[in-house]
Amino acid sequence: MSQAAATSTRFTGRTAIVTGASRGIGLAIAERLVAEGAKVVITARRQEALDQAVAQLGPEHALGVAGHADDADHQAEVVARAVDTFGSVDLLVNNTGINPTYGPMVDMDLAAARKIFEVNCLAALAWVQQAYRRWMKEHGGAVVNVSSVAGLRPAPGIGFYGASKAMLTHLTQQLAVELGPDIRVNAVAPAVVKTKFATALYEGREEQVAGAYPLKRLGVPDDIGSVVAFLLSEDAAWMTGQLLVIDGGVTLTGGV
């Protein structure tokens, strides 16, 4: 993390909810926000993993609440605990995403497709609704949705995942129109980032995969955390409904 990030206080007095944040991109986002003064409430399915992440972030700065991202009761609990513990819900990052299947969509189990839609799209909308009703409607705020370059063009093997991320991008734009001027809603679209979630995309052949990227490396979680923090901050005060592609240049060469 840069010295500038370590000394910035642009999120002092603000509280963020980051979903899917016990590790990987979500945890890197939470770390960046805490480093810049925020309090964070992080979510994931397992409390043990969240407890480890909170210890890393600092218990005085973070709270972990376990549950399923698409569960309405969990969503309501997280928002309520953020307000009760830290006093507000100023920032929301919808980072949770799943892709439990691989292969052509014509052979896809439709139950898996429904689950991907529920978690990657509908849950993101639900989290915005919860934060809006409890805090942001009266106080304003900023939202960032974590999409994917797979949503920009056909992605062999992960087609429905890509379709869900394309929908998430559209939801971002629609919410930006509906919630302005006091709530900004933006999105990021990472390419392959070195996380447990993406291991199958590069394990054992990282150099080969990275060779297609003009910057000649895969992403790391901090690459995403820094851009998300920018979009949540007042440095991006005149940006809403935007999708920032964070991809090491790979989409310039036709890759996903």
Side-chain angles (χ1 to χ4, degrees):
M1 186 174 295
S2 70
Q3 184 64 27
T7 59
S8 172
T9 57
R10 60 182 173 178
F11 296 120
T12 297
R14 298 189 181 183
T15 304
I17 293 173
V18 185
T19 71
S22 63
R23 66 185 186 212
I25 290 173
L27 181 55
I29 293 169
E31 287 177 325
R32 184 63 179 248
L33 297 180
V34 166
E36 298 193 40
K39 305 296 186 184
V40 297
V41 181
I42 58 174
T43 79
R45 287 177 292 179
R46 293 174 49 244
Q47 189 64 51
E48 180 182 359
L50 284 170
D51 290 344
Q52 294 173 357
V54 167
Q56 183 173 329
L57 294 166
E60 68 276 24
H61 304 300
L63 173 69
V65 184
H68 293 274
D70 57 339
D71 179 76
D73 290 339
H74 170 63
Q75 296 159 2
E77 178 190 6
V78 170
V79 172
R81 291 186 66 181
V83 174
D84 293 345
T85 304
F86 297 126
S88 63
V89 179
D90 310 288
L91 314 169
L92 171 65
V93 181
N94 282 307
N95 174 65
T96 301
I98 63 168
N99 185 41
T101 185
Y102 184 88
M105 285 199 296
V106 71
D107 296 325
M108 188 176 186
D109 178 0
L110 293 183
R114 290 187 186 96
K115 188 64 176 177
I116 292 171
F117 166 73
E118 289 278 349
V119 175
N120 294 5
C121 301
L122 201 57
L125 173 58
W127 281 102
V128 173
Q129 290 178 336
Q130 294 276 5
Y132 175 80
R133 292 165 183 163
R134 183 64 190 264
W135 185 263
M136 291 186 181
K137 181 178 181 180
E138 299 296 330
H139 304 278
V143 178
V144 172
N145 296 319
V146 179
S147 185
S148 169
V149 294
L152 300 178
R153 56 170 63 98
I158 55 171
F160 199 83
Y161 172 80
S164 75
K165 291 300 188 177
M167 182 176 181
L168 182 61
T169 299
H170 188 85
L171 285 173
T172 298
Q173 296 168 340
Q174 185 68 36
L175 287 167
V177 170
E178 294 182 2
L179 297 180
D182 296 323
I183 301 171
R184 298 183 302 104
V185 188
N186 290 290
V188 295
V192 177
V193 177
K194 294 171 65 176
T195 65
K196 185 175 181 180
F197 179 80
T199 298
L201 299 176
Y202 68 87
E203 190 173 40
R205 54 192 183 95
E206 180 178 340
E207 186 174 345
Q208 176 188 349
V209 175
Y213 289 62
L215 295 185
K216 301 304 179 188
R217 70 172 177 87
L218 302 183
V220 295
D222 284 347
D223 291 322
I224 314 306
S226 59
V227 179
V228 170
F230 161 70
L231 288 173
L232 291 172
S233 77
E234 290 304 308
D235 291 334
W238 209 42
M239 293 181 66
T240 197
Q242 300 305 303
L243 175 71
L244 294 190
V245 177
I246 315 170
D247 70 342
V250 71
T251 55
L252 299 174
T253 64
V256 171

